Each structure stands twice: as structure tokens, then as C-alpha cells.
Amino acid sequence: TLCDESRHSLEVLIGLDASGSTSAIINMDGTTILDIEKAFSIILGRALRFITPEVRAYAFNSQTSTNIYRAESFEAISSFKSSEGNRDGDFIRYLTSLLKKSSADSRFIFLLSDGKPCSINYNGREAMEDTLLAMREAVNVGIKLIYYNFDKNQSDYFDLLKKEATYARYFTDPAQILPTIPEMLKKITSSVI
């Protein structure tokens, strides 16, 4: 058995894109992208709580600025609704600022999104470059950034975002997600033992 002194501390933030585009239906049963993000967050969050109590979930949407919502419990994640645009760079920087204050040995951000940043005065190449820069900033301060992209079709921007993330996966169907949770928990556990 491991002594408590040999364990590293861990803090995890789960971030959900709750922009209007996440209301898109992703499969034949009417499941939306946000439905998948929420279900995955609840399952992942509960599983991570077996490793650390320091797990929190946030969602965001944007217009000219970014609105951030914190779920008080994992059950509260189900109340997030899709609306507005998404300034991904703002949200990533917010989560990064929270984790920069953390004294945890290992810090993770799980970013769940349909990917493409787009809001008022925040779109196209400049918005994508800002998002990539925000991801790079997080990784450069020692945060492990896990990017999960949910969409009907894999877009070219996924490859750009994947290059900046510590780890990235693309999903088109909810059934693809569950098998990844044990794999991810094993990776996280190995980082804290």
C-alpha cells in the first residue's frame, strides 16, 4: 500500500462550452452536443472525486464578454443551457487563472466543446489564434489541458487545437465516450501516485 506522503495533490477543472452551437443535434435520438458534454462531465466528475475532492465544473457562453457559470454540484451541471457565442480564449484563461493559484502538484483542465470560437467581434482566424494562445499559456504554466471535441463531423480546426492540448480526442457519438473514462482516470492516477 502507498503511504499518504507519497501521493501528490490534484486539482481538476471541467469546462463546458454552453454556447448556442452546442444545441446542435449530434445523433438520431435528438441528443445535443451540450447533452453529451453534461453527461460526460457528471460521470467524469464523480469518478474523479474518488481520486481528489478538488474537482469543479464550469460552463461558459459569450457575447461581447464571457459569462462563466459554476456548478455547485455535479447534478447542477444538468441545468446548463445553450445560448450566445463562445470566446474560448477568455474561458481557458479564466480556468488557468484559477489553477495558477492552486497549490496542487498536478493540475488539469478538461475542456469540452464543439470547438470553433465565434462571438461578437471574436471570430475567424484571430479568434482561433487567441484560443490556441490561451491553450499554450495554460500548458506552459504546467497545467495539463485535456481537450474533448464533440461534433457531427471532425473539422479542420480540431487538428490545430489538438496540437496545443496535452491530450485531445474527437467524438461523434455518446457511445464513444464511456470507454475513454477508465483510460483517462488511469493517466490521472499515475500522475498523482
Side-chain angles (χ1 to χ4, degrees):
T1 62
L2 295 170
C3 297
D4 286 339
E5 294 84 29
S6 67
R7 293 187 67 122
H8 295 267
S9 56
L10 170 68
E11 187 167 348
V12 179
L13 302 181
I14 302 171
L16 293 82
D17 173 0
S19 63
S21 62
T22 63
S23 65
I25 295 173
I26 197 166
N27 62 19
M28 299 300 285
D29 67 3
T31 303
T32 67
I33 292 169
L34 185 58
D35 291 335
I36 295 169
E37 289 180 22
K38 291 189 294 189
F40 180 76
S41 297
I42 292 168
I43 295 166
L44 179 65
R46 287 179 178 163
L48 286 167
R49 281 279 168 93
F50 287 101
I51 301 171
T52 179
E54 297 301 322
V55 183
R56 296 186 310 279
Y58 295 84
F60 80 105
N61 58 27
S62 312
Q63 281 192 350
T64 56
S65 62
T66 299
N67 306 305
I68 297 173
Y69 312 93
R70 179 177 176 198
E72 290 299 319
S73 67
F74 287 111
E75 292 74 23
I77 292 170
S78 63
S79 67
F80 292 146
K81 304 281 185 223
S82 299
S83 66
E84 315 296 345
N86 54 312
R87 295 174 164 276
D88 297 58
D90 288 354
F91 183 60
I92 294 165
R93 285 186 182 94
Y94 176 77
L95 296 181
T96 299
S97 73
L98 294 177
L99 286 180
K100 282 171 76 173
K101 298 172 191 170
S102 171
S103 61
D105 298 312
S106 295
R107 300 166 296 163
F108 284 80
I109 293 173
F110 280 82
L111 181 61
L112 316 177
S113 178
D114 62 351
K116 193 169 187 179
C118 184
S119 192
I120 296 171
N121 297 324
Y122 190 84
N123 55 48
R125 191 173 121 210
E126 291 80 15
M128 182 57 69
E129 287 176 0
D130 182 62
T131 300
L132 296 171
L133 180 60
M135 293 174 82
R136 197 173 309 130
E137 290 166 354
V139 172
N140 286 344
V141 296
I143 295 169
K144 293 174 179 70
L145 178 61
I146 313 302
Y147 173 61
Y148 282 162
N149 181 252
F150 305 96
D151 212 342
K152 287 184 209 177
N153 301 301
Q154 184 173 337
S155 300
D156 56 353
Y157 56 78
F158 174 74
D159 290 329
L160 295 172
L161 297 166
K162 180 180 177 179
K163 288 177 185 174
E164 297 299 335
T166 307
Y167 179 82
R169 289 284 302 266
Y170 166 76
F171 302 97
T172 58
D173 190 298
Q176 298 170 328
I177 299 166
L178 288 179
T180 69
I181 292 176
E183 164 196 340
M184 188 51 60
L185 290 175
K186 185 176 179 181
K187 287 181 182 186
I188 292 172
T189 302
S190 68
S191 78
V192 296
I193 295 179

